[in-house]
Amino acid sequence: MTRVHYDSFIDLKYKPKATDLICQFKITPAKGYGFEEVCSITAGESSIGTWTDISTIDKKIQAKLIPKVYYVDKKNLRCRIAYPALLFELSSVPNIMSSIGGNIYGMKSVEGILWEDVSFPKIMIDKFKGPQFGIKGVRDYMKVYNRPLVGTIVKPKVGLTEKEFAKVAYESWLGGCDIVKDDENLTSQSFNNFYKRIEETLKACKKAEKETGEKKIYLANCTAPVEEMVKRIKWVEKNNGNYIMLDVITLGWSALQYARQITKLPIHAHRAGHAMFDRIPYHGMSMEVIAQFLRLIGVDTLHIGTAYGKMIGEKEEVLQIENEMENSFTKKTNEGLGQKWFHIKPVLAVSSGGVHPGIVDKIIKFMGKDSVIQAGGGIHGHPQGTIAGAKAMRQAVDAAIKKISVEKYAKTHPELKIALKKWGK
Ligand code: CAP
Ligand code: MG
């Protein structure tokens, strides 16, 4: 078969319209293909093009729907494509994903293609609600304004019975955690039934609130096939729960959009599986793009990395995602696109994965106080148990906020001292 050159999608004079959806890609051509050529093929395959000329398209369709590659940076293998809003069903993330996050990844003409950034036009943003609560809403609920929130994941990830789970949760709150969450792979297994766990843990939550005089949050993992997910969300609401959690990648965009429509509760987004898309530097969909779609749909808290913990995600990347989640707009740079968020509220960033008291100061230093500092192993692995582990985490956060070195603070805080001895600084 002869190779087809798509060249009609390049227009370097084109000035994007306010209604265009703009995407930035890093594209590595396959052997035998030119860079501009594959940029053009990408624009075509994600819109109205196919591998050959077709008789069924006319000038009218083309004029309305043709996307434009309006910027190319061959040195960095980067291009920007403006897609007319008319190409999309504006309120459907699955439709937008099928168009842009779809066929292009499998094209033979590219060695790799990374969707680096996205900029949504107002006309699309208007179709979405964004977070129901956002940073301010969560802080107002907790009445905590001057420090990061402290969270934990009950460990082991799976295996505890409902009652055992609720006990660990209770001790975590008592020790000083604001938030306790289910792990991403705990839903409703034979040893731990979702409905019973919610009842037990919410009872423990109320008890801990009474005893500590502090507001406490329980992130109940409602991830399940859609019909069951809805039942679980309703169960949390019926039992006066205050937050739901969803594994947003494995659950899927459509179910997440539905969950946002039907619940009165804030949504915690666990991103398990994101690295299937964003780990390889030249192929996939960046975490920033994933995070932007999550903000658009409306999650209230989102895992974005720690830079210092056990998971991938360097400081620069984590900061960039945080910037995109927390600000009302971001500016266009050589590396990335700008975004105006209009009515969409900011998302609270969660730093999790291998966190322990010894690295808390470094995380707060770069992420600021508008974050959730969350540790599973770094609390339940404390030699004196969960209560002491939670105390040590809260002490580490307090030290960072008071700008006292954690080593100095540990001299008068024994739980912190023991934690530093185990995990170092
Ligand atoms: C953290 C965690 C989270 C990770 C995921 C875990 O536990 O619960 O799932 O944070 O990574 O199971 O690993 P630990 P990310 O505190 O015991 O590490 O937040 O980067 O998505
Ligand atoms: Mg986890």
Side-chain angles (χ1 to χ4, degrees), residues 155 157 181 183-184 270:
K155 298 283 167 174
K157 282 172 181 277
K181 76 177 251 310
D183 224 322
E184 69 283 352
H270 194 292

Side-chain angles (χ1 to χ4, degrees), residues 355-357 375-395 413-423:
V355 174
H356 60 81
I379 284 184
H380 312 291
H382 192 285
Q384 295 180 330
T386 292
I387 298 185
K391 280 188 183 167
M393 270 304 286
R394 220 12 218 271
Q395 289 161 1
H413 295 83
E415 294 85 4
L416 184 57
K417 192 172 174 185
I418 291 168
L420 294 184
K421 197 166 165 229
K422 176 162 180 178
W423 291 302

Side-chain angles (χ1 to χ4, degrees), residues 153 155 157 183-184 270-271 303 310-311 352-354 375-377:
I153 314 99
K155 298 283 167 174
K157 282 172 181 277
D183 224 322
E184 69 283 352
H270 194 292
R271 60 175 183 164
H303 289 234
K310 72 177 184 188
M311 307 299 275
S352 189

